[in-house]
Amino acid sequence: PFFFYDRSESGFEDVNVLHHITQQQEYIRSLGFTNIVDYQIHVDCHGFNGADNSAFSYGTNPPSIIFGEGGVDDAEDADVIIHEYSHAIMQSASPGTNFGTERNAMDEAFGDYMAVSYSNLYSSHHSDYAFKWDGHNEYWDGRLTISSKMYPDDLVYHLYSDAPMWSSALTRIERNLGSCLLYTSPSPRDRTRS
């Protein structure tokens, strides 16, 4: 009945993904959205032949999430897990609408914001960093959810370059109004969210 793994064992990533996706799905359901990602999702915690990349695919049946293992194993980082699962949330909430660079940037931004907001339940260290574990290191720069870029003047029509405009807006709203995250289980830091 116990899951005792260290990072060197593949079971660590499996349990980590199961835990964080379950937490996120329980949160979405607690808001009353019982039809969002209302299907089993196939997850490969050791995919992409070791490449340093992860992705959500709605083109598979059932939709899937694949986590790569290059650099830092992506399935070890809750931010990566929540970011990729957020793509599933967006696809489920608004199927067939993720086309065009601005919409792609919004999808990336939503995933970054959800990842940062979720991981800040555990620690406020580098609170603006998306991919605190997998990024911001020698493998890749990660991303930030705070930006001074303004819409539409600073658009460059690239999903990753434009995403911080949208994630920054969401982050600033959360900080000004308070988090809207009301996770069903208590935060590890015993922070209440309202």
Side-chain angles (χ1 to χ4, degrees):
F2 302 102
F3 296 102
F4 294 121
Y5 297 106
D6 63 33
R7 286 184 55 214
S8 69
E9 298 173 282
S10 65
F12 178 86
E13 289 89 357
D14 301 331
V15 172
N16 199 40
V17 167
L18 178 63
H19 170 75
H20 293 298
I21 286 178
T22 300
Q23 288 292 106
Q24 193 68 358
Q25 180 61 18
E26 287 178 358
Y27 164 63
I28 296 298
R29 288 181 181 270
S30 77
L31 296 174
F33 298 106
T34 58
N35 61 339
I36 302 293
V37 194
D38 59 346
Y39 52 82
Q40 289 185 344
I41 190 163
H42 175 78
V43 176
D44 182 351
C45 297
H46 314 285
F48 286 123
N49 295 316
D52 190 12
N53 192 22
S54 292
F56 166 73
S57 174
Y58 64 87
T60 58
N61 188 13
S64 61
I65 300 175
I66 303 167
F67 296 100
E69 296 184 304
V72 174
D73 293 355
D74 286 2
E76 292 180 1
D77 187 338
D79 285 8
V80 177
I81 297 164
I82 296 300
H83 173 93
E84 295 304 335
Y85 190 67
S86 293
H87 288 305
I89 292 168
M90 291 288 279
Q91 171 62 24
S92 183
S94 185
T97 63
N98 191 6
F99 54 88
T101 54
E102 286 186 67
R103 174 61 175 83
N104 293 162
M106 288 179 187
D107 202 71
E108 286 299 316
F110 178 71
D112 289 353
Y113 163 74
M114 291 297 282
V116 166
S117 188
Y118 179 83
S119 67
N120 283 338
L121 291 169
Y122 292 87
S123 171
S124 61
H125 180 69
H126 292 303
S127 62
D128 300 330
Y129 284 26
F131 315 113
K132 291 175 188 62
W133 185 255
D134 180 54
H136 306 280
N137 55 38
E138 67 272 19
Y139 301 112
W140 76 292
D141 294 336
R143 293 202 287 265
L144 295 172
T145 58
I146 289 293
S147 172
S148 60
K149 293 181 178 182
M150 299 295 288
Y151 180 86
D153 298 339
D154 293 319
L155 279 174
V156 294
Y157 299 98
H158 183 273
L159 72 153
Y160 298 117
S161 298
D162 292 341
M165 278 188 272
W166 305 110
S167 61
S168 182
L170 295 169
T171 299
R172 290 172 194 270
I173 289 168
E174 179 177 308
R175 290 189 180 156
N176 287 325
L177 299 178
S179 176
C180 297
L181 295 179
L182 298 170
Y183 286 92
T184 55
S185 62
S187 144
R189 294 176 36 198
D190 293 322
R191 286 173 37 183
T192 57
R193 305 287 241 166
S194 59

